[in-house]
Amino acid sequence: MKLATLKDGTRDGRLIVVKRDNSAYALATHVALTLQGALDDWATKEPQLRALAEQLEAGAVQNRPLDVNALMAPLPRAYEWIDGSAYINHVLLVRKARGAEPPATLKTDPLVYQGGSGDLLAPTADIPLADEAWGLDFESEVCVILGDTPQGTKAAEAGRHIRLVMLANDVSLRNLIPDELAKGFGFFQSKPATAFSPFALTPDELGPAWKEGRLHLRLRSTLNGQLVGDTDAGPEMHFSFHDLIQHITKTRSYTAGTLLGSGTVSNADRARGISCLAERRMIETIEEGKPKTPFMKPGDTIEIEMLDAQGHNLFGRISQKVVKR
């Protein structure tokens, strides 16, 4: 099942069900006005939404052509946005880039931060940038939407709390990060609004590619029309989403509609490319003594998408342009 949110002039939009080929949609507001409303009563609403999705595929319900530009983020605002850093290769590279040692618990204790969730960007929304000196970077990620998730959830039980899967562009302002972290109190100004893919999919829609809390497909990042990353999101995700859920629920519970990210998808094989510019700059530093790739500037574009084994675009495309604010 594939869900999305249609712009309607309100903060939270209207819930729609989308055909598997992304060509058309059916309004789902008779089931739940918004995606958050569906998540709040998932046990009741999910079967009704599935029935609607089956009718849509069969051509048995009124449908309309889909225009991705008419969509908001699947959750235009969320109760929480928590982002992990589950790919060890990424952690090692970006830490080295800013002269920081990796934590001693790198492989045993996940890194997470809590970002802003009150203003989540649509998949085609511009990325505003007030100062190029801040070092704007994209970060291509996989993320999940949780249902109500109790404190103390173990990894073995975590899968039952994952409602939907989607993609994210977790924008970073790289040159603001070192001073913020030096204060010992985490990211804040260096993490502006995050954008999300047009569509959110139930895990079963991903078939065998969704396995043990990891998505075993390639995540494509296209910068200014050039494919810069074709990274494999599965094998090198050291901490699965199940592991991340166990970590974040150690001391508290989470409500339906919580977003949880994987962190930047990263592979040790450099032929797979990058999912953020910070990695390319660090590789250049290692190989050439200094970085030469600039961070993003007004006029630059980034596209993020994921295809299945048959070439179908599963989540739709995040397609954003950097604009001067």
Side-chain angles (χ1 to χ4, degrees):
M1 181 170 61
K2 187 175 293 194
L3 303 176
T5 293
L6 188 69
K7 295 176 184 176
D8 70 346
T10 68
R11 288 179 182 268
D12 301 307
R14 289 184 289 171
L15 179 62
I16 61 174
V17 173
V18 179
K19 285 193 71 174
R20 286 192 176 94
D21 66 3
N22 306 338
S23 65
Y25 72 91
L27 280 172
T29 49
H30 62 288
V31 177
L33 185 62
T34 65
L35 178 54
Q36 183 60 56
L39 292 164
D40 286 339
D41 188 17
W42 193 248
T44 300
K45 304 300 185 184
E46 188 262 354
Q48 297 177 46
L49 291 170
R50 282 192 182 276
L52 179 60
E54 291 171 4
Q55 291 175 326
L56 177 62
E57 293 296 330
V61 66
Q62 182 180 8
N63 63 82
R64 304 173 189 178
L66 180 70
D67 177 6
V68 173
N69 292 302
L71 299 180
M72 306 171 80
L75 278 177
R77 54 179 173 167
Y79 287 108
E80 297 192 64
W81 161 231
I82 303 161
D83 199 17
S85 193
Y87 295 85
I88 299 298
N89 187 64
H90 174 74
V91 178
L92 293 174
L93 284 174
V94 297
R95 288 285 178 120
K96 192 170 184 178
R98 63 174 188 258
E101 290 295 321
T105 56
L106 176 67
K107 295 185 178 181
T108 59
D109 195 28
L111 294 167
V112 298
Y113 86 91
Q114 189 154 358
S117 60
D119 179 24
L120 302 175
L121 297 181
T124 57
D126 291 337
I127 304 172
L129 177 62
D131 189 341
E132 287 186 47
W134 291 346
L136 177 67
D137 198 357
F138 69 92
E139 291 192 59
S140 304
E141 303 189 8
V142 179
C143 62
V144 298
I145 303 177
L146 303 181
D148 290 319
T149 307
Q151 181 179 342
T153 297
K154 300 302 181 185
E157 306 163 350
R160 71 183 67 172
H161 302 294
I162 295 174
R163 300 289 181 252
L164 298 161
V165 184
M166 54 185 182
L167 306 180
N169 179 16
D170 178 45
V171 178
S172 289
L173 299 171
R174 296 292 185 188
N175 293 337
L176 299 185
I177 290 176
D179 287 345
E180 285 205 299
L181 294 185
K183 298 176 184 179
F185 216 54
F187 299 120
F188 195 82
Q189 291 179 335
S190 52
K191 285 294 187 178
T194 303
F196 293 88
S197 57
F199 315 128
L201 278 62
T202 49
D204 63 282
E205 196 73 22
L206 301 167
W210 180 256
K211 183 179 180 182
E212 298 177 348
R214 295 176 176 88
L215 183 49
H216 292 261
L217 290 170
R218 296 222 179 129
L219 183 61
R220 296 167 58 87
S221 302
T222 302
L223 180 65
N224 294 328
Q226 178 185 3
L227 183 67
V228 295
D230 189 25
T231 51
D232 194 334
E236 293 178 64
M237 188 181 186
H238 183 77
F239 297 105
S240 71
F241 280 108
H242 298 170
D243 297 324
L244 292 175
I245 290 169
Q246 176 173 294
H247 178 76
I248 66 172
T249 60
K250 179 177 180 178
T251 60
R252 55 181 164 135
S253 61
Y254 296 87
T255 192
T258 295
L259 301 172
L260 176 61
S262 67
T264 305
V265 176
S266 182
N267 296 155
D269 180 2
R270 293 179 184 172
R272 295 262 59 84
I274 58 167
S275 296
C276 71
L277 291 172
E279 289 195 7
R280 174 178 281 181
R281 287 167 59 87
M282 188 59 241
I283 292 168
E284 290 168 349
T285 300
I286 293 170
E287 296 180 346
E288 303 174 39
K290 62 180 181 181
K292 63 181 183 182
T293 297
F295 287 117
M296 297 182 75
K297 61 185 184 302
D300 286 348
T301 60
I302 180 64
E303 296 179 333
I304 300 167
E305 60 193 335
M306 181 174 274
L307 310 182
D308 66 11
Q310 289 73 44
H312 300 140
N313 196 318
L314 291 171
F315 302 96
R317 181 182 297 126
I318 297 173
S319 182
Q320 297 183 275
K321 182 178 181 179
V322 181
V323 298
K324 180 70 176 177
R325 187 174 188 276

